[in-house]
Amino acid sequence: MDHFEVVGRSVIRKESPDKVSGRVKYLNDLSSPDMLHAALKTSTHAHARIASMDIKEAAASPGVRAVLTGKDFPQYLGLYLGDKTPLAINKVRYYGEPVAVVVADTKLAALRAAELIKVIYEPLPVVDSPSIALKEGAPILHEEMASYAHISAIMPEPGTNIANRTKIRKGDIKSGFEAADVVVADSFSFPPGDHVAMEPRAAITEILPNGQVIIHSTTQAPFVVRALMAEYFGIEPGKITVIAPPIGGGYGGKAGIQLEGLAYLLSKSVGGRKVKLVNTREQDLISSPGHIGFEAKVRLGATKEGVLTFAELSFLFDTGAYADYAVNISRAAAIACTGPYRIPNVSCDSLCVYTNHPFATAYRGFGHVELAFAIERSIDLLAEKLGMDAMELRLKNAVVAGDTTPTQSVLDHNTGNLPECIRRVGSLIEWDKGTVIKKEDGKIIAKGMGCLWKAPAMPTNSDGGAILTFNEDGSINLHCGAVEIGQGIKTGLAQLLAEKLQMSINQVHVVYDVNTTVAPHDWATAASRSLFMVGRAVLDAADDTIRQLCHTAAAVLRCPEEDLTVANGMIFVKDEPSISLKVREVALGYVYPDGTAVGGQVIGRGKYIARRLTSLDPLNGAGNPALEWTMGAQAIEVELDPRDCSYKITRAASVMDVGKVINPHIARGQVIGSIGMALSFAGKEGFLLNERGQVQNSDLRSYKILRYGEQPEYLIDFVETPQGDGPYGMRGLGEQGVIGIPGALANALSRAVGKPLNRLPLTPEEIWKSKEGKK
Amino acid sequence: MLKLEDIKTFTLNVNGEKKSVILGPTDVLLDVLRDKLGLTGGKPGCENGDCGACTVLLDGVPIKSCLMLAVEAVDHEITTIEGLSNTVVQDAFVNEAGFQCGYCTSGFILNTFALLKEQPEADDAVITEWLEANICRCTGYDDIKNAVKLAQNNLR
Ligand code: FES
Ligand code: FES
C-alpha cells in the first residue's frame, strides 16, 4: 500500500495554476453594472479644525448619488479603543484623513465630484513625535478620550496622549544595576511607514431588503469584521456575511476593520445598493493605517564576563492619530521586550502614543521588529564596550527552556533551540572569517547579527475550525476560516489533512474565498497562528472523519470499529487489509446491493481553542499570554563604499527554530519574503514628514521599496525542535523572519562605518551624516 | 464632461481576438481591459507607472497599461496574462513558486515572457534592468529570480 508522505514535502501551492494565469479574483476584480462607486476626499492638513465644508457643487455633479461628511456618521469606532469616526468630524488629526466621501455611478464620476468638495481648514499645532506628545502642554489629540469605549486589556489615560501603557516589572532593577560591571544606554528610532501590499484595500457592501448585510472585503480577519460590525451598528451577527477573497498581500495591514464600516454606511445611504470603495495607492499609503513609528530608550547592563544583569526599557510607539491595533502592539512588545535573552531584572514601560501622523495598525512582527531593533543594537553596543564578540555575547545570554520571559512565564520544553540557531547562522554567514574586512578597492565588507523571538499576540480565546465534506470520488472539500494572503495556508492545511488521512493531496480540494456564514469560526489570519490553530482543527476534523467512516464500515464489514483504519482511499481491518471498503463507497452513505442505504454522509468537524492563555497583571505584567515561541537568529553582510556610504546587501542568513517544517519551499519563501520586506523597511522606508506633519512621499515613486536586483543572496536554514502541541510538531513562521533583520543590518553598517547607527531608515545619506558627525 | 460625439466604437486586438469596444478619449487601457473586457489579470497597483502590476504586452513589448490610453492601443496586438496558457514561463513560476499573494504575478510573467523572447541569453544585469520595473512585496524576489532562470534554461 502507498505511504503518503505529504508533510515535510514542497508540494506546489494549490492556487498555482490560477495565479499564473491571472484568473484568481481579488476583490477589486469583482464588478457588476448595478454597483455604485465611492471616492474619498482626504485632509490636506495633519492637524486642523474643519472650519467649513461645501459639498453643493459635488452633489450636483453628474452621476453622483450621495455626498457624505463626518456629521452623517457620528459613531466612534475602533478595534480595541473606539477613538475614530468613519469620517473626520470638526477636526482632522492626520494628513490624508478622510473627511468626505462621494457615491456615484462610476469611479470617474465619484473621483471628479470628490475634487469639487471645498474644505476650509484652520490649522492647529502639530504633534510631531511621541516624545513631544508626552511633553507638558502638548496639544491633546483626543480630548474626549474618557468617553471612548475600550476592551479591558488596554488602559488609555484620558487627559494625555497615551492610548495604552503596559508595565513589565521582573526582578529588581536596582540590584541588577549593582551587579553590572558595564552599562550601555542609548536611544533608537524610526518614522512611521506602510505595508505597501500590492493590492490596495477595498470593500464592497450591500444591504438586502431582508436586512442581510453582505460585505466583500480585502480582510485578513473576516470574523473580526463580522463581530465588530454587529457591535458598532447594532446588526444581528447572523445578518452579516463577510466574504474574504484571496488577498493581494496583507502583512498585518488588512487584519483589523478598515473600510468596511464606511462602505456599510455608504450602502445604507443609497438604499442598500451595492457600493464599492477602493483605495487609491496614495490613500492606501497614508489614509489607511500603516506601520507604526518608534522611539526607544534602552539601558542594558552585564558583568564583565558578559552575563546580562538588567534591562531598563522605555518604548514609545507612535500610533499616529488613532489607535487601531497599536494599543496591542505596544503591549505585545512589552511581553517580549528583552528579545530572546536571559535577563533576571527587567523594567519596561511600553506606551502607545497619539501623534498627528498617519495612524498605525498591525505590521508583520507586531511590535517585535521594533523592540528587536533597539535590543539588538544595544547588544552590539554592549559587546563593543565589553570587548567581546557580538555573537559570543548573544550565545552566552540566549534563552533556553526553563528560563522565564519578561512576563515571568516559564519557557517550556517546546521552546526552540536558540543557541543552535545562533551557531548555524554564524556558520552560514562565516562569522569566524571576520566581521569587518577591508577590500583592496577601499570598500568595506561588514557583518551584523540579530536574534528574534515571537509569540502570537492574540486574544486568550483565539480559535480555529474546520469542516470536511466529501465528493462522490472520495475526495474531500476542506472548509475553514483562514484567509489565503499569499502565505500558502490552504496548501499547508491540505498537506496536514492528506498526511493524516493518508491520501493524495490532489484529492483534497480547498475553497479560496472565506464566507463567514458558511465557514466555521476563526479568530483571524494573523499572528502566524493559522497553520497551528486551524491545523489542529483540521487534524481534529480528520479524526472525526475517520471515526464516522469506520463506524459505518464496521456495520457493513461486520467487524469491531476499533479494528478499522483509513488510508489510501480505503477503510480496512488493520491486521487483515483485504477486508475493506473504499472510502468513496462509505463517504456519502453506504448502499447495499439491494438498494438499502445506511450511515449517511460523513461530515468531519474539527475545532481548536488556544490552551491556557491568560491576561497580564496590570501592575507588573505577569501572565501567560503566549501560545508558543518561535526563536531564531539572523545575519546580514553588506559591502559599503566609504566615500559616499552607498552599500549593497550581499548576503542575508536566517536560521529559525520552527518545529517541523510542513512545506519547505513555502516556509523558505515566507522567511525570504520577510527578510526582503525587513531590508526594505530598514534600508529605505518611512514617511518623510514636513514640519506641518504632511507626508512628502505618498506614492510609490517617492516611497521607495526594495526592487528586483537589490535583494541579497539568501541563506536559509531551519532547526526543527518539535512543538509538542503543534500539528506534526510545527510552529508559526510567517512573520518572524522580519524581526532580527533591521538590527542585523544596522549592526553591520555601524561596524562598517565605525559609528553607531541607531536611526532607520539606513539610507546612504543618513549613514554619511552619522559618519561625518553631521546632524 | 463627456459629449456624445466623443464616444466611438473601436476594435481592440486582444489575445488574438478582435474586440469591439466603445471608448472615450480619456479611457485608460488598464480600465478598459478590466472593466469592459473582463480581463482582470492586469492589476491596478499604483495607477502611476511605478509598480508594474498592470503590465501587458503591446506588439510583444511590455507596457504599463495604467499609463496608456485605450485608443492608443488600437491597431496593436495586446497580450494580457489571460492570453498566455501553459507557457514555459508560467510553468517555471509554478515550479519555483515565483509568487505568493499573486497580485504582482501577471506583470512579472508578462515582463519575463517578453524579455526571454527578445533576449533569450539575457544575463543578470539585463534581467534586473527589465524586472526592476515591477514591484513584488511578498517574495523578496528570490523565487522570482529562480523562476526566470528556470524558464530561461527550459527555453534553450
Ligand atoms: S498600476 Fe500601472 S504601474 Fe502600477
Ligand atoms: S506575490 Fe505578492 S506582491 Fe508579488
Side-chain angles (χ1 to χ4, degrees):
Chain A
M1 192 162 293
D2 294 350
H3 179 66
F4 289 94
E5 221 177 82
V6 194
V7 158
R9 272 186 36 220
S10 293
V11 304
I12 278 168
R13 283 163 183 273
K14 283 279 179 190
E15 71 277 19
S16 297
D18 301 340
K19 279 194 174 163
V20 299
S21 312
R23 295 288 290 278
V24 167
K25 292 285 179 192
Y26 301 85
L27 189 128
N28 193 14
D29 298 336
L30 311 172
S31 71
S32 58
D34 60 337
M35 195 178 262
L36 298 175
H37 299 262
L40 297 172
K41 175 85 177 173
T42 60
S43 162
T44 51
H45 288 266
H47 197 197
R49 211 154 282 292
I50 301 173
S52 71
M53 198 174 326
D54 180 358
I55 60 168
K56 277 196 284 311
E57 214 185 318
S61 176
V64 170
R65 300 291 153 224
V67 181
L68 301 143
T69 67
K71 300 215 165 69
D72 295 309
F73 312 127
Q75 293 101 321
Y76 280 89
L77 317 176
L79 191 66
Y80 295 133
L81 172 64
D83 62 358
K84 189 174 185 305
T85 51
L87 298 167
I89 302 176
N90 297 329
K91 181 161 130 166
V92 292
R93 295 186 177 86
Y94 71 100
Y95 176 76
E97 176 161 12
V99 294
V101 60
V102 177
V103 182
D105 292 343
T106 65
K107 184 171 115 187
L108 201 61
L111 286 169
R112 206 176 273 155
E115 291 286 309
L116 299 174
I117 299 173
K118 293 187 192 66
V119 193
I120 296 174
Y121 297 97
E122 282 166 11
L124 295 166
V126 166
V127 177
D128 204 16
S129 74
S131 43
I132 289 173
L134 296 181
K135 288 224 167 84
E136 279 278 328
I140 301 302
L141 299 190
H142 291 267
E143 288 115 341
E144 323 77 354
M145 193 197 280
S147 67
Y148 293 164
H150 63 86
I151 60 162
S152 61
I154 67 153
M155 286 165 270
E157 300 178 9
T160 74
N161 286 315
I162 300 170
N164 191 19
R165 181 197 297 262
T166 308
K167 279 194 219 171
I168 299 289
R169 298 290 182 268
K170 175 184 164 189
D172 173 37
I173 283 290
K174 224 173 126 245
S175 57
F177 180 73
E178 278 157 13
D181 300 310
V182 177
V183 174
V184 291
D186 222 323
S187 311
F188 309 89
S189 66
F190 52 78
D194 195 58
H195 312 78
V196 198
M198 290 320 299
E199 174 198 39
R201 283 163 272 214
I204 302 170
T205 298
E206 68 179 311
I207 308 165
L208 298 181
N210 71 3
Q212 193 74 25
V213 179
I214 301 173
I215 304 169
H216 285 77
S217 172
T218 56
T219 181
Q220 298 173 231
F223 291 90
V224 170
V225 171
R226 179 176 77 185
L228 291 179
M229 289 293 293
E231 193 183 314
Y232 294 163
F233 301 110
I235 313 166
E236 277 177 58
K239 290 255 177 197
I240 303 171
T241 298
V242 182
I243 299 165
I247 304 295
Y251 327 109
K254 294 166 178 167
I257 178 158
Q258 295 177 2
L259 299 176
E260 298 88 352
L262 186 55
Y264 163 74
L265 293 167
L266 296 180
S267 174
K268 206 168 161 186
S269 68
V270 290
R273 287 181 63 183
K274 204 186 275 180
V275 178
K276 185 182 200 178
L277 175 60
V278 184
N279 274 348
T280 63
R281 172 54 61 190
E282 291 72 15
Q283 288 162 356
D284 210 60
L285 276 163
I286 59 167
S287 296
S288 282
H291 180 212
I292 207 159
F294 188 55
E295 291 178 1
K297 286 200 172 71
V298 176
R299 246 168 35 114
L300 200 58
T303 64
K304 54 184 180 306
E305 293 78 29
V307 177
L308 295 172
T309 60
F310 82 98
E312 192 175 26
L313 311 166
S314 150
F315 296 161
L316 303 184
F317 283 88
D318 177 0
T319 183
Y322 300 100
D324 202 86
Y325 261 113
V327 284
N328 194 24
I329 294 175
S330 58
R331 178 178 175 273
I335 290 169
C337 61
T338 54
Y341 301 107
R342 189 183 319 107
I343 308 182
N345 306 295
V346 181
S347 160
C348 173
D349 280 29
S350 185
L351 276 64
C352 179
V353 184
Y354 288 123
T355 66
N356 289 119
H357 291 160
F359 73 114
T361 188
Y363 179 97
R364 204 173 202 167
F366 207 72
H368 293 66
V369 191
E370 293 75 10
L371 78 90
F373 171 58
I375 294 293
E376 293 304 325
R377 275 299 296 134
S378 300
I379 293 276
D380 259 40
L381 291 168
L382 188 64
E384 205 178 308
K385 205 159 174 184
L386 282 163
M388 190 181 245
D389 176 72
M391 174 171 153
E392 186 59 40
L393 182 61
R394 286 184 170 82
L395 265 176
K396 196 163 242 172
N397 294 283
V399 289
V400 294
D403 289 336
T404 58
T405 71
T407 69
Q408 304 173 41
S409 65
V410 180
L411 293 168
D412 64 17
H413 64 276
N414 287 319
T415 299
N417 187 342
L418 180 59
E420 177 63 13
C421 294
I422 298 175
R423 278 189 289 270
R424 277 206 218 171
V425 94
S427 69
L428 283 176
I429 204 82
E430 302 172 297
W431 191 263
D432 56 349
K433 293 210 174 134
T435 53
V436 188
I437 301 161
K438 259 198 143 81
K439 287 183 33 179
E440 273 173 22
D441 60 4
K443 291 193 180 152
I444 299 166
I445 294 173
K447 296 167 193 171
M449 192 175 279
C451 291
L452 66 93
W453 70 351
K454 185 179 186 297
M458 56 189 197
T460 51
N461 63 343
S462 298
D463 66 346
I467 295 171
L468 307 177
T469 57
F470 276 89
N471 303 305
E472 288 75 4
D473 60 353
S475 65
I476 298 183
N477 310 309
L478 195 172
H479 306 264
C480 69
V483 182
E484 181 58 57
I485 63 173
Q487 82 285 46
I489 186 65
K490 307 281 179 185
T491 309
L493 293 172
Q495 283 182 265
L496 298 179
L497 180 63
E499 178 81 32
K500 182 80 191 173
L501 289 179
Q502 280 298 295
M503 63 194 287
S504 160
I505 188 149
N506 299 327
Q507 293 275 95
V508 180
H509 303 286
V510 299
V511 187
Y512 292 159
D513 291 6
V514 172
N515 176 325
T516 55
T517 303
V518 179
H521 190 267
D522 180 89
W523 167 57
T525 301
S528 307
R529 46 59 75 184
S530 298
L531 193 57
F532 186 121
M533 297 186 74
V534 185
R536 281 289 299 263
V538 165
L539 296 184
D540 189 33
D543 281 333
D544 188 38
T545 298
I546 293 169
R547 255 190 319 271
Q548 293 177 47
L549 288 169
C550 292
H551 183 75
T552 303
V556 178
L557 295 174
R558 285 165 291 179
C559 67
E561 211 173 306
E562 53 277 18
D563 288 6
L564 292 172
T565 188
V566 177
N568 213 3
M570 307 291 286
I571 309 157
F572 56 90
V573 175
K574 288 173 209 162
D575 52 323
E576 223 181 316
S578 61
I579 304 173
S580 67
L581 286 171
K582 295 192 173 75
V583 167
R584 68 174 148 84
E585 293 174 291
V586 180
L588 296 178
Y590 182 80
V591 184
Y592 286 97
D594 70 353
T596 338
V598 294
Q601 67 176 302
V602 173
I603 302 175
R605 302 151 305 168
K607 61 188 163 40
Y608 181 74
I609 192 159
R611 190 173 78 189
R612 294 175 64 86
L613 299 188
T614 69
S615 314
L616 300 185
D617 183 316
L619 294 180
N620 63 5
N624 181 31
L627 184 73
E628 36 97 352
W629 287 92
T630 299
M631 307 275 171
Q634 301 181 302
I636 295 292
E637 180 190 74
V638 295
E639 187 179 293
L640 176 118
D641 186 336
R643 289 169 306 175
D644 58 3
C645 293
S646 64
Y647 64 93
K648 184 162 175 36
I649 301 159
T650 43
R651 294 192 291 173
S654 175
V655 181
M656 291 176 3
D657 191 339
V658 299
K660 175 75 184 167
V661 176
I662 304 297
N663 184 315
H665 200 149
I666 293 181
R668 196 174 166 276
Q670 286 295 295
V671 174
I672 289 177
S674 297
I675 295 174
M677 194 168 183
L679 287 173
S680 183
F681 155 69
K684 294 169 176 286
E685 293 180 38
F687 290 139
L688 292 170
L689 294 145
N690 67 12
E691 67 288 351
R692 294 165 63 199
Q694 292 159 318
V695 179
Q696 305 293 289
N697 54 344
S698 63
D699 58 41
L700 293 183
R701 197 155 300 178
S702 47
Y703 188 100
K704 302 278 185 204
I705 67 178
L706 194 79
R707 297 255 173 187
Y708 187 96
E710 294 178 317
Q711 78 275 19
E713 181 190 349
Y714 297 99
L715 309 164
I716 310 299
D717 200 0
F718 295 104
V719 176
E720 299 188 74
T721 308
Q723 176 75 24
D725 51 348
Y728 294 99
M730 62 71 64
R731 264 190 286 280
L733 61 79
E735 300 168 88
Q736 285 78 358
V738 295
I739 297 170
I741 294 296
L745 178 67
N747 287 340
L749 289 166
S750 298
R751 212 162 262 139
V753 294
K755 282 275 163 59
L757 301 172
N758 296 345
R759 271 181 60 84
L760 302 177
L762 294 159
T763 59
E765 185 182 338
E766 288 300 320
I767 299 170
W768 180 81
K769 281 191 203 157
S770 301
K771 181 166 161 264
E772 302 295 318
K774 303 237 162 48
K775 254 265 156 231
Chain B
M1 191 194 294
L2 290 177
K3 291 196 229 95
L4 198 55
E5 56 265 34
D6 293 334
I7 298 173
K8 266 184 71 179
T9 304
F10 293 88
T11 303
L12 287 179
N13 193 337
V14 187
N15 300 332
E17 292 173 2
K18 295 219 184 306
K19 300 276 191 183
S20 214
V21 273
I22 296 169
L23 296 180
T26 59
D27 286 346
V28 173
L29 180 59
L30 174 64
D31 294 338
V32 169
L33 292 172
R34 290 172 53 82
D35 300 341
K36 298 197 172 160
L37 299 177
L39 298 169
T40 56
K43 304 294 178 200
C46 67
E47 296 173 277
N48 192 42
D50 300 327
C51 76
C54 63
T55 302
V56 302
L57 306 184
L58 199 75
D59 303 326
V61 177
I63 55 122
K64 289 171 172 169
S65 65
C66 70
L67 291 185
M68 183 174 238
L69 294 174
V71 287
E72 295 180 276
V74 172
D75 296 333
H76 295 278
E77 305 251 342
I78 304 163
T79 309
T80 71
I81 188 71
E82 291 89 346
L84 303 190
S85 128
N86 297 321
T87 61
V88 170
V89 175
Q90 285 164 298
D91 287 349
F93 270 74
V94 169
N95 289 320
E96 290 293 340
F99 58 87
Q100 287 177 23
C101 80
Y103 202 80
C104 69
T105 310
S106 46
F108 270 99
I109 288 178
L110 285 163
N111 211 350
T112 305
F113 184 84
L115 163 63
L116 295 180
K117 201 152 230 164
E118 184 167 318
Q119 303 193 47
E121 298 304 324
D123 60 12
D124 282 354
V126 172
I127 294 172
T128 297
E129 198 177 304
W130 280 61
L131 295 190
E132 68 189 2
N134 299 51
I135 295 175
C136 173
R137 191 59 158 168
C138 290
T139 60
Y141 301 107
D142 197 51
D143 281 332
I144 294 180
K145 182 175 169 182
N146 297 337
V148 175
K149 294 266 146 118
L150 178 66
Q152 191 171 35
N153 275 331
N154 288 348
L155 282 166
R156 278 190 181 122

